[in-house]
Amino acid sequence: MAFKRIMMTALASVILLLSHSTFGESAEERDARMEWWREARFGLFIHWGIYAIPAGEWEGKPTVKGGAEWIQSKDKIPAAEYAQLIDQFNPIQYDADDWVQLAKQAGMQYIVITSKHHDGFCLWDSAQTEWDVASTPYKKDLLKPLAEACRKYGIKLCFYHSIMDWKHPDYGVKKDWRGNADNPTPDMDVYTTYMKAQLKELLSEYGDIGVLWFDGEWEDAWTHERGIDLDDYLRGIDPSLIINNRVDKGRQGMKGMNKDGSFRGDFGTPEQEIPHTGFPGVDWESCMTMNKSWGYKVSDQNWKSTEKLIRNLVDIASKGGNYLLNVGPTAEGLIPAPSVERLQAMGAWMKPNGESIYGTVASPLPELSWGRCTVKNEAHSTVFYLHVFQWPENEKVTVPGLKINPTGAEASLLATGKSLKWTPAEDHLQIEVGPLAPDPIDSVIKLTVKGPFEIKGTH
Ligand code: GLC
């Protein structure tokens, strides 16, 4: 008995630990802090920096396999040589208002821009370094107008920030092409102080910042202890901040979710992939490119179709995650036309169908042969948004596993409001949808179930 009691107490304290985050916040406080982000579901990632000048080609040769923002590392370009790019960076075509409007029209609710990528170059006028936009012919801070436009259109501004820094002399992993090559004793404490001062600038001078999105945490110079210290520091400046899991050392590669243990970070960050299932009780966001590179790359014309992008968004939402979709603007400051076209097309779908994405949670239904499902729990009903990718030849959409009261539901096409007939059965429900798919990519049926229902079969 005594043993059992001890076990129960131990179990209770584990549950208690899990329901509080590591920095003493209650579950309710955490929910309130995460609310806008969970509601948003769809954001724009912007990878922009001076690597957009070479755009994946060095000395006339297409040399970068993968992301064009990695060119300095891939080609082992000595820091002094790479630094010459600063004299050429002059994005006179940049129009922050246009960018934010495009995101808004696409149905996105937040923007994450690379304040600093691995090459260390800063898109704002930082008092901590000359390796920034203020030292280019353009001179002007690039983040200020973006912050202004975000305020104007009601979009949350968020900053990506690389921990790894190929420029700073005190960053703790030496390579002969990096800016620390000539420093016999790089000092990570000095570097961390620099990074904190920069982050403080970003948190104080650009209005309300939604997310700090860290990256480049994988090298040994960055430790779990440094992650905790940085996380504490930032939450001290702004307690409402959301911070991704790359601030700490818990991430398991590109899968992006944390290994077992206690690590900082509010959400997991799967990269270039969509997990097979969701992660109940854990927030996550898949970040993905439209072609294959994060930064602008002239040769990469490998664009995903609009169909693929819309279905990715729906797939992710159906598993309870967010979709952070990337664009890589040119050195002149333009978002490439194929990206613009795709974002506009996504917006055209989101306009009548956005309700089936925003504020939805993961589907409790078993796997669906014809598409995906997103769900909204309302006070007296549950709304199932049935995303039909493959329109059924027999003109009937079968919802497996859903058992409801024969009078307790309403079904309609979300985009037009046209009401649809449905019939319940013991272990499924069938909706009569007619012969023509209203949307070749994803036609959404809104099924509102009033009162209780049962789900049979596993998810
Ligand atoms: C990476 C890459 C990078 C890109 C990013 C986006 O790990 O190093 O270039 O910024 O992740 O998630």
Side-chain angles (χ1 to χ4, degrees):
M1 275 314 273
F3 176 70
K4 196 168 162 198
R5 205 166 39 238
I6 291 166
M7 286 307 287
M8 291 307 284
T9 321
L11 193 68
S13 41
V14 167
I15 289 169
L16 200 75
L17 256 178
L18 288 176
S19 62
H20 286 71
S21 59
T22 22
F23 45 90
E25 185 186 42
S26 73
E28 292 73 26
E29 284 165 337
R30 180 182 152 76
D31 285 346
R33 192 166 54 81
M34 296 300 293
E35 194 180 352
W36 74 262
W37 187 90
R38 290 175 184 159
E39 166 75 32
R41 284 289 172 252
F42 189 25
L44 180 69
F45 215 172
I46 304 177
H47 274 69
W48 199 27
I50 52 173
Y51 43 76
I53 300 170
E57 291 178 11
W58 200 252
E59 290 169 347
K61 286 184 291 265
T63 43
V64 178
K65 240 181 124 197
E69 72 286 356
W70 272 81
I71 196 163
Q72 189 189 358
S73 163
K74 294 270 172 66
D75 282 13
K76 303 198 171 27
I77 304 165
E81 195 182 330
Y82 188 79
Q84 292 170 15
L85 290 171
I86 206 164
D87 300 327
Q88 296 170 45
F89 191 63
N90 195 15
I92 48 173
Q93 310 250 41
Y94 173 52
D95 184 337
D97 203 271
D98 264 11
W99 288 14
V100 178
Q101 240 190 90
L102 179 66
K104 180 88 181 176
Q105 282 168 2
M108 293 158 151
Q109 300 203 348
Y110 59 108
I111 290 178
V112 183
I113 186 164
T114 49
S115 53
K116 179 191 89 160
H117 205 266
H118 307 330
D119 65 7
F121 179 78
C122 300
L123 294 192
W124 80 102
D125 180 3
S126 171
Q128 316 303 321
T129 184
E130 304 279 283
W131 185 227
D132 66 359
V133 67
S135 309
T136 68
Y138 188 74
K139 289 195 178 67
K140 292 171 280 188
D141 188 315
L142 295 167
L143 301 182
K144 281 257 154 78
L146 194 69
E148 225 165 85
C150 281
R151 261 194 300 281
K152 176 169 158 195
Y153 294 105
I155 295 274
K156 282 266 188 194
L157 179 64
C158 312
F159 293 133
Y160 166 108
H161 202 80
S162 176
I163 291 170
M164 177 165 74
D165 190 312
W166 300 332
K167 177 74 173 177
H168 199 283
D170 279 295
Y171 176 72
V173 175
K174 276 179 64 152
K175 301 257 158 110
D176 56 11
W177 50 271
R178 289 188 180 177
N180 59 8
D182 297 331
N183 184 354
T185 51
D187 182 343
M188 238 353 229
D189 287 340
V190 173
Y191 173 69
T192 305
T193 304
Y194 165 80
M195 191 167 56
K196 283 181 174 170
Q198 289 210 314
L199 289 163
K200 191 165 190 178
E201 292 177 357
L202 290 172
L203 291 179
S204 342
E205 294 166 28
Y206 299 87
D208 180 34
I209 299 308
V211 177
L212 279 183
W213 209 107
F214 287 100
D215 189 27
E217 85 289 19
W218 53 82
E219 291 192 326
D220 286 347
W222 194 248
T223 60
H224 175 54
E225 290 67 33
R226 288 192 190 277
I228 294 176
D229 171 65
L230 181 59
D231 193 69
D232 281 340
Y233 170 77
L234 297 168
R235 293 185 194 285
I237 298 175
D238 179 0
S240 70
L241 257 188
I242 294 176
I243 300 177
N244 72 343
N245 68 341
R246 300 186 187 185
V247 71
D248 200 342
K249 301 286 278 193
R251 173 167 71 115
Q252 295 174 288
M254 296 301 185
K255 295 233 167 299
M257 304 309 287
N258 282 352
K259 56 192 174 209
D260 285 344
S262 168
F263 296 98
R264 293 299 175 92
D266 292 309
F267 62 93
T269 50
E271 181 169 323
Q272 299 288 39
E273 58 181 84
I274 301 175
H276 293 302
T277 63
F279 308 93
V282 180
D283 293 295
W284 58 278
E285 172 190 72
S286 276
C287 55
M288 299 175 92
T289 48
M290 284 193 193
N291 51 359
K292 295 209 162 156
S293 177
W294 297 98
Y296 176 63
K297 187 174 182 181
V298 170
S299 64
D300 186 349
Q301 297 301 323
N302 226 307
W303 301 99
K304 295 178 184 79
S305 66
T306 301
E307 173 183 286
K308 179 83 184 151
L309 297 172
I310 290 176
R311 290 182 179 175
N312 278 354
L313 169 64
V314 172
D315 187 19
I316 289 168
S318 79
K319 296 165 181 169
N322 280 16
Y323 190 29
L324 186 61
L325 181 58
N326 183 71
V327 296
T330 65
E332 292 74 38
L334 294 175
I335 296 179
S339 301
V340 173
E341 282 157 27
R342 282 159 179 78
L343 289 173
Q344 286 170 341
M346 293 183 88
W349 181 87
M350 281 294 275
K351 210 161 184 220
N353 294 300
E355 179 191 320
S356 68
I357 300 292
Y358 303 128
T360 57
V361 296
S363 166
L365 297 175
E367 218 173 299
L368 304 168
S369 58
W370 40 259
R372 297 286 183 275
C373 169
T374 52
V375 168
K376 227 174 255 180
N377 294 309
E378 299 191 332
H380 303 289
S381 57
T382 305
V383 184
F384 293 84
Y385 295 99
L386 309 171
H387 298 260
V388 188
F389 297 167
Q390 265 87 43
W391 200 251
E393 274 174 24
N394 68 355
E395 303 176 19
K396 290 177 180 50
V397 168
T398 299
V399 187
L402 185 61
K403 189 179 174 197
I404 65 173
N405 177 326
T407 55
E410 264 167 30
S412 61
L413 275 175
L414 179 61
T416 61
K418 179 174 177 257
S419 99
L420 301 171
K421 272 206 193 129
W422 57 276
T423 27
E426 182 48 31
D427 61 352
H428 67 269
L429 179 140
Q430 210 163 56
I431 304 172
E432 285 169 44
V433 292
L436 291 176
D439 190 311
I441 294 179
D442 175 12
S443 310
V444 184
I445 297 168
K446 179 176 179 177
L447 175 72
T448 307
V449 177
K450 295 164 198 140
F453 59 85
E454 255 180 79
I455 307 270
K456 303 193 158 188
T458 49
H459 182 52

